[in-house]
Amino acid sequence: MADTFSKKIKYWFGDLFGNLLLTFAVLTFRVLPPRALVFIARILGTTAFYLIKKYRDRVLSNLSLVFRGEKDPKEMTKLAKEIFFNFTLTPLETLYAYFHPFEKFLLKIEIQGKEYLESALAQKNGVIALGAHLGPFTLVGARLALEGYPFNLIINEGRNFPKLWKRLGDYQRRLGQKLFPPKPATASVKKSLNCLHRNEILYLIADEQQIRGGLPVSFFGQTAYTPPGPAIFSLKTGAPILLMFIVREKGSPKTLFIRGPIETERTSDEKKDIELLTAKFTKAIEDIIRQYPSQWPWLNRRWKLPYQKGPLDMGNREV
């Protein structure tokens, strides 16, 4: 009873503090130039790299797993610092976009590959925008919404800070994005299918570890349990999967890339089709991360395997 009351007080203060911090950001970001975000993120990212040992070690461990033999420890440490910088910069850019005229920030992001999107929408089955936590991924929907494309985003709003999440959700809707939660799952699936049937864009991020319901596919040469949602929706509706991501240049959002459809030849075995398409879009995400490694966070336990108790119970391998 006491613990429950203590948690309620803790979350209430957290919600209050978060709203106060957001209000301060509103007042501050309205007068800051975009380059100031880079300066702030550089300071915060460097501080976090040196002070938060748990995440520093996890990033370095993941980099070592993937780039062992390609990069020496010094190179990986330098890369890790850039990763912390980019990771810190993403929420700052998101807030900045909320409080500034579109032409001063979002419209400066160029779009390459719009012809793939137009061609996909011409099929009238909707489009699955395949996303990853790379670069300013939170701005993909806002930028496309400015071009007039209906953009739907599944977002897991925290229950513990309702006022803060509601406020952040309102800002995202103001930028033209339609939001709905992943739970209850039945309602989320129904809304996802409906937006595809309306020939709209459904944004699905599929680069995080998902043991429950995830499929074991290769990711940087290691087994990674991957959400198959994009493959399932695509095969069910005929909606093309287009990889979409924004990359930074010199610390600023520069280009929104839209790549051609990720496809696989269908067979009579639906399960196999889902597995093959999931493996294929995971490889597409891997290729982009290899091209821009400092702009992917490397914080997720992406290669964590399910716990399987055996005769010699060694537990679960974690990275």
Side-chain angles (χ1 to χ4, degrees):
M1 185 77 173
D3 288 343
T4 302
F5 179 75
S6 176
K7 286 182 179 179
K8 287 183 178 180
I9 293 296
K10 176 183 176 182
Y11 292 141
W12 184 86
F13 274 109
D15 204 14
L16 177 64
F17 177 75
N19 270 282
L20 289 174
L21 190 62
L22 186 56
T23 300
F24 174 76
V26 171
L27 298 174
T28 305
F29 282 14
R30 280 178 177 167
V31 298
L32 287 178
R35 293 301 300 173
L37 302 182
V38 177
F39 177 74
I40 295 171
R42 185 67 69 183
I43 294 175
L44 294 177
T46 301
T47 302
F49 175 82
Y50 285 108
L51 292 185
I52 309 178
K53 182 179 184 299
K54 174 183 176 181
Y55 294 122
R56 180 179 72 243
D57 289 348
R58 186 181 299 174
V59 168
L60 289 171
S61 178
N62 284 337
L63 290 175
S64 178
L65 180 71
V66 170
F67 294 114
R68 186 184 296 117
E70 296 181 34
K71 300 180 185 295
D72 60 36
K74 187 176 180 181
E75 289 176 308
M76 285 190 277
T77 298
K78 182 179 179 181
L79 177 57
K81 290 179 181 179
E82 285 300 303
I83 289 165
F84 271 79
F85 158 68
N86 278 291
F87 181 72
T88 306
L89 184 55
T90 297
L92 298 180
E93 289 171 329
T94 305
L95 290 174
Y96 197 85
Y98 293 157
F99 312 132
H100 277 77
F102 299 141
E103 65 273 10
K104 289 188 176 181
F105 191 62
L106 287 176
L107 285 177
K108 289 185 177 180
I109 301 174
E110 301 173 5
I111 301 178
Q112 288 191 18
K114 192 188 291 187
E115 65 275 11
Y116 293 119
L117 179 55
E118 291 289 347
S119 177
L121 289 172
Q123 299 178 32
K124 303 297 182 182
N125 292 319
V127 171
I128 296 169
L130 178 66
H133 294 84
L134 185 134
F137 67 95
T138 55
L139 302 181
V140 171
R143 182 63 185 90
L144 289 176
L146 288 180
E147 298 295 310
Y149 297 107
F151 196 92
N152 299 268
L153 174 65
I154 299 175
I155 184 169
N156 191 12
E157 296 184 351
R159 295 180 298 171
N160 297 326
F161 309 113
K163 292 182 179 179
L164 177 61
W165 279 106
K166 181 182 182 304
R167 193 172 172 188
L168 290 172
D170 289 342
Y171 286 135
Q172 288 180 307
R173 293 181 185 92
R174 195 181 302 171
L175 292 176
Q177 301 174 91
K178 301 175 186 177
L179 312 177
F180 56 91
K183 295 182 179 179
T186 302
S188 178
V189 169
K190 184 177 180 180
K191 289 179 180 179
S192 298
L193 291 173
N194 285 341
C195 76
L196 293 175
H197 290 154
R198 293 192 301 268
N199 200 31
E200 298 178 353
I201 300 172
L202 175 65
Y203 188 47
L204 298 177
I205 293 177
D207 63 339
E208 285 191 318
Q209 173 261 9
Q210 181 181 314
I211 289 180
R212 290 187 179 181
L215 297 180
V217 300
S218 176
F219 186 59
F220 286 99
Q222 306 289 328
T223 299
Y225 278 71
T226 301
I232 293 172
F233 281 121
S234 178
L235 292 171
K236 185 175 182 63
T237 65
I241 300 175
L242 306 183
L243 181 61
M244 301 185 189
F245 58 97
I246 297 176
V247 297
R248 299 185 179 100
E249 289 186 14
K250 298 180 180 180
S252 298
K254 177 64 177 177
T255 307
L256 165 56
F257 290 98
I258 302 174
R259 294 291 169 85
I262 301 171
E263 301 170 326
T264 186
E265 193 170 324
R266 298 195 67 162
T267 70
S268 58
D269 189 337
E270 184 180 37
K271 182 180 178 183
K272 182 179 179 181
D273 291 345
I274 292 172
E275 292 173 350
L276 288 174
L277 190 51
T278 300
K280 197 165 185 179
F281 76 63
T282 301
K283 181 61 168 62
I285 292 174
E286 176 187 324
D287 290 343
I288 297 306
I289 295 172
R290 282 191 179 275
Q291 192 173 351
Y292 304 99
S294 68
Q295 298 194 37
W296 195 63
W298 298 91
L299 282 165
N300 188 247
R301 287 193 177 98
R302 190 65 179 92
W303 296 276
K304 180 180 178 181
L305 300 181
Y307 177 80
Q308 293 180 342
K309 190 174 182 180
L312 297 176
D313 184 14
M314 300 300 290
N316 188 14
R317 178 173 68 86
E318 293 188 9
V319 177

